[in-house]
Structures are given as C-alpha cells and as structure tokens.
Amino acid sequence: MNDSSDKSGTTHFGYRDVPRDEKQKLVGEVFTSVAGKYDLMNDLMSLGIHRAWKRYFVATSSVSRGDRVLDLAGGTGDIAALLRDRVGDAGEIVLGDINGAMLKVGRDRMTDRGNVNGFEYVQCNAEALPFPDASFDLVTIAFGLRNVTDKDAALRDMHRVLKVGGQARVLEFSQVTADWFKPIYDFHSFKVLPHLGKLFAGDSDSYQYLAESIRKHPPQGELKSMMQAAGFARCDYRNLSGGIVAIHTGYKV
C-alpha cells in the first residue's frame, strides 16, 4: 500500500511504523552506510541483473541530443553515465540525490570515468525539487522512489519540473507476478540478502530494510494510478524479470 496517504503521522520504514518526520533521517542512515558498497548492494539484491535493467531503462527512454535530464536518486551515477551519449555534448544531466554521501560517490566515480562536462550535482529532496517549472525534457528515478516518504508529492514535483511533452520514468523493484517464484524470491530477500550484506558490507540491518522496503512499495497498478493522480498522461508500465522490477512511464501534456 502507498504509505504517503497515512494521516496518522506515521509511515513505513521497512516493516516498522515510524514518525513520518523520522523516515528521511533513517533512510539517510541506510544509504550513508551502503554508499561505498552501492554496486555490491544492487548485485546482491538483483543477482547481478540490475545493470541490464538500467541499460534497458535508458535505451527505451524518450531522450534526444541536446536534452536536459534530471536523474533523481542519482546515486553513483549509473543512469547518468548511460544517458551521457544519448544527450550528447549539447545536453545536460543533473544528478539529484538527497544523500550527500551517495552524491559524493557518484561525483567521484563520474570524474574517474572522465565524465565531467555536462553534469551538475544537486543535493535535493524529491518531494520539493529546487528547480523552476518546465526545466527538464526527461526526469528519471531508478531504485529511489520506494525510499521517498511522500511518493505522491515527489511524483507531483517530477511532473511540475517537466516541460510539456516531457517524459518521466521510474525504475523500481515491484511485485513479482509468478506465484511459483514468490517463495524463492522471499527466501533470497529475507534469509540470504541480510547475511550477504553482513558478510560483504558488514551491515545486515540496512539490507534487511531494503528487502522490506520493496514489499511496502506500491505494486504496479497502484503506482500507475498514483502517476495519473499526479497529473501524468499516457501512463504505462512494463515488467522486467517477471515483475521483480517494473518501468513506469508518464508524460506531461
């Protein structure tokens, strides 16, 4: 269920109910903890398939040379690096992330790759973006929306900063569609993943939270409805890997 409509003053942090104004701090502690192991985290959570999902996510986006793109929850720059060739030298990519540690890792990695020109780094909250209306041709958020406290507010602000005709795309862990696979997926998420997190990153609690956060994220149909309610048109989604993740798309018209 979508936790952003909770009127009681609490929200979900994994399976725990916490005061709404504390979730941002708690999520921040998780990602500060895993920032240096972010690729490892995604490998453990996705069995290494996250790189293929991200390539497909970018390859099927509506973006042209010269476009200005906002990549929210930009993390370590994976999506931005893939977008670079598509927007060309005349384009601009803004990496936005609420977590300073993640943003620093991303900036350092992009610099190490030689990706310097055409990038801007902004520490920002997806619920209240510090950009004017109609600023971007494309807004992306990959594996970040489920960690936002008020998802509805974030979707509305993504819509606000898009230009007319612009596209928003969400790549996120979603609801597995095959009944036979669900117990296998649950076993990996709740039994294997925290142990791997402790073994490789010295942090089982953060990985436990990340597994729980996936289960609390709105399923495909609900997130599509949320995007429509935020003002997006032509909303649709595509399941990848049997619904382990889904790509949601909407347009500003």
Side-chain angles (χ1 to χ4, degrees):
M1 293 294 293
N2 171 24
D3 60 3
S4 63
S5 60
D6 186 352
K7 305 300 184 185
S8 67
T10 64
T11 189
H12 301 296
F13 177 73
Y15 287 164
R16 290 164 49 199
D17 287 332
V18 299
R20 287 175 62 83
D21 57 2
E22 286 187 15
K23 179 172 179 176
Q24 182 176 313
K25 173 178 174 287
L26 292 169
V27 171
E29 290 172 352
V30 168
F31 281 91
T32 297
S33 173
V34 304
K37 302 280 187 178
Y38 186 71
D39 284 341
L40 174 63
M41 177 191 78
N42 281 330
D43 283 332
L44 296 177
M45 293 182 70
S46 72
L47 305 179
I49 310 171
H50 70 99
R51 292 178 175 85
W53 294 335
K54 290 171 181 175
R55 286 195 296 270
Y56 184 81
F57 178 65
V58 170
T60 55
S61 63
S62 293
V63 64
S64 303
R65 301 186 82 76
D67 279 355
R68 189 166 188 243
V69 180
L70 172 61
D71 179 34
L72 291 170
T76 49
D78 290 349
I79 300 299
L82 291 169
L83 283 163
R84 188 71 190 95
D85 289 341
R86 303 202 61 185
V87 302
D89 292 338
E92 182 184 4
I93 301 171
V94 178
L95 278 80
D97 203 301
I98 195 170
N99 187 278
M102 290 291 293
L103 205 60
K104 182 180 185 302
V105 170
R107 184 175 60 244
D108 291 347
R109 286 186 54 187
M110 296 293 276
T111 302
D112 291 344
R113 294 173 183 171
N115 289 324
V116 178
N117 295 328
F119 290 95
E120 182 181 351
Y121 302 86
V122 178
Q123 187 169 356
C124 60
N125 186 339
E127 299 172 20
L129 297 171
F131 307 107
D133 296 355
S135 299
F136 298 96
D137 301 284
L138 172 69
V139 178
T140 60
I141 182 167
F143 303 119
L145 185 61
R146 75 181 188 280
N147 299 306
V148 174
T149 302
D150 191 338
K151 298 172 181 64
D152 294 310
L155 291 170
R156 287 193 300 268
D157 230 29
M158 289 168 65
H159 183 270
R160 179 186 64 79
V161 301
L162 269 179
K163 299 176 183 177
V164 172
Q167 183 188 57
R169 287 173 72 78
V170 179
L171 173 63
E172 189 54 87
F173 288 104
S174 200
Q175 189 172 86
V176 172
T177 55
D179 288 336
W180 67 267
F181 185 64
K182 290 178 182 178
I184 300 171
Y185 185 54
D186 285 345
F187 181 80
H188 170 74
S189 298
F190 295 108
K191 301 298 184 183
V192 178
L193 181 61
H195 288 294
L196 292 175
K198 184 174 183 178
L199 180 64
F200 290 104
D203 182 355
S204 60
D205 290 345
S206 292
Y207 288 78
Q208 178 75 25
Y209 158 73
L210 291 166
E212 293 175 1
S213 71
I214 294 170
R215 302 315 191 278
K216 303 300 285 188
H217 184 66
Q220 290 90 324
E222 186 177 346
L223 183 52
K224 178 181 177 180
S225 297
M226 290 168 63
M227 291 186 71
Q228 292 169 331
F232 290 103
R234 295 163 53 201
C235 296
D236 201 3
Y237 65 85
R238 178 186 293 269
N239 287 324
L240 303 180
S241 301
I244 293 177
V245 300
I247 296 173
H248 280 76
T249 303
Y251 294 84
K252 184 173 182 176
V253 299

